[in-house]
Amino acid sequence: MAVLLIGEVSNGELNLDATAKALTAARQLGDVTVLCAGAQAAAAGEAASKLEGVAKVLVAEDPSLGHRLAEPTAALVVSMAGDYSHIVAPSTTDAKNVMPRIAALLDVMILSDVSAVIDADTFERSIYAGNAVQTVKSSDPVKVMTVRTTTFDAAGDGGPAPVETIAAAENPDLSEWIEDKVAASDRPELTSAARVVSGGRGIGSEENFRIVEQLADKLGAAVGASRAAVDSGYAPNDWQVGQTGKVVAPELYVALGISGAIQHLAGMKDSKIIVAINKDEEAPIFQVADYSLAGDLFEIVPELIEKL
């Protein structure tokens, strides 16, 4: 079977971590062709060609494919879909925008957040905020699926695979780019960081959230937040970890003032080591934490920063 893996391309560069992990899942289904699409995608295509298990790389460069617009990318993938039994992408913000459109245009179901491949038609995915695992068997002629990258190891170096340039599909012109507003940061990217420090409602204010950032900087970590903290205006939306935010699985996850609602746990429970600091001794976060400290975080964290 032939599998099309949509590489995660941003600003002309390949998100190597997400793409390599999705590749591990895709290789269980057949020969993998990687599509790198964007206004500039040649460098991304070259990087993808060096991943182990890639049979071929397709590079599509066109202004319409820039700025992460979903409709032109979906149109391109649909125009190629007849050659593939599976269309796969890492479960990222961009893929969650593009893949349902592809599934709708092909009139098939979307298999989201696949965590295991049983066979070519059967997959596992988590439901109920990670409290249950659902086994799904699809009879669709083309399986359109996103892969929860936290459950797969990244593919190693290999290749190089052949790289072919293709043309973009006709732009449906359903949307247009106006501007991007991106917060610049020297910290690691949240979904691929080895260490993450997150703050919750217990931080109390946007000003107090600086303590989370200080600890993160000391640890060389990314900064995350619970939905409660984001909804309260303490942290920006792109820091949100949880069922309706980003899913992370770092080597170290530090939760400050986070009670541990089930929706948050769904986004970080696969972390290797979980450290929780909360003044509520009955906080649910302590049930999943490897190291728990009940106390005032505004006393504990400055001391921790000082000792580090």
Side-chain angles (χ1 to χ4, degrees):
M1 285 179 287
V3 181
L4 180 66
L5 172 61
I6 301 176
E8 179 82 1
V9 179
S10 180
N11 296 322
E13 300 295 327
L14 184 71
N15 182 333
L16 197 58
D17 182 74
T19 304
K21 289 178 178 177
L23 173 60
T24 298
R27 288 174 61 190
Q28 299 178 45
L29 300 167
D31 295 331
V32 180
T33 297
V34 178
L35 170 65
C36 293
Q40 291 87 35
E46 183 179 352
S49 72
K50 297 176 182 177
L51 291 172
E52 183 181 7
V54 174
K56 182 170 65 174
V57 176
L58 301 176
V59 174
E61 291 188 319
D62 189 87
S64 67
L65 298 170
H67 304 298
R68 305 163 80 174
L69 292 180
E71 295 87 354
T73 302
L76 171 62
V77 174
V78 168
S79 71
M80 306 162 54
D83 297 330
Y84 301 96
S85 60
H86 297 77
I87 300 173
V88 182
S91 187
T92 60
T93 303
D94 284 358
K96 289 176 181 178
N97 194 16
V98 174
M99 296 299 276
R101 297 173 188 273
I102 294 171
L105 290 168
L106 294 174
D107 195 23
V108 300
M109 69 182 292
I110 175 76
L111 298 165
S112 59
D113 282 333
V114 167
S115 57
V117 176
I118 308 301
D119 58 40
D121 301 319
T122 314
F123 311 92
E124 289 184 356
R125 59 186 298 274
S126 62
I127 57 174
Y128 301 132
N131 280 291
V133 175
Q134 183 181 59
T135 302
V136 181
K137 186 169 185 177
S138 172
S139 58
D140 285 330
V142 180
K143 279 73 174 175
V144 178
M145 52 193 283
T146 62
V147 173
R148 176 166 284 198
T149 55
T150 57
T151 60
F152 293 93
D153 295 328
D157 294 333
V163 179
E164 178 184 334
T165 301
I166 62 172
E170 183 178 354
N171 188 354
D173 287 324
L174 295 174
S175 64
E176 64 175 315
W177 172 80
I178 302 299
E179 65 175 331
D180 290 330
K181 293 183 178 180
V182 182
S185 175
D186 294 329
R187 299 189 184 100
E189 203 278 324
L190 182 56
T191 56
S192 60
R195 292 173 293 278
V196 174
V197 179
S198 285
R201 193 197 307 271
I203 298 298
S205 70
E206 183 179 2
E207 293 74 22
N208 289 345
F209 211 87
R210 178 59 185 154
I211 198 171
V212 179
E213 299 178 61
Q214 289 171 344
L215 180 57
D217 291 341
K218 185 66 72 169
L219 291 170
V223 176
S226 69
R227 178 172 179 172
V230 171
D231 287 349
S232 299
Y234 304 166
N237 183 264
D238 59 342
W239 288 2
Q240 183 177 322
V241 173
Q243 185 179 17
T244 54
K246 295 179 178 178
V247 177
V248 301
E251 297 293 328
L252 172 65
Y253 188 88
V254 182
L256 306 179
I258 294 176
S259 63
I262 191 172
Q263 292 85 357
H264 185 77
L265 299 183
M268 46 66 72
K269 63 184 177 64
D270 291 328
S271 303
K272 306 302 183 291
I273 297 293
I274 298 173
V275 176
I277 301 175
N278 197 300
K279 66 180 181 181
D280 179 7
E281 297 182 7
E282 304 298 323
I285 191 75
F286 288 149
Q287 297 176 18
V288 300
D290 298 285
Y291 297 93
S292 303
L293 189 53
D296 186 344
L297 68 88
F298 295 106
E299 296 177 1
I300 294 168
V301 175
E303 183 179 354
L304 179 58
I305 292 171
E306 182 182 352
K307 292 185 183 301
L308 286 170

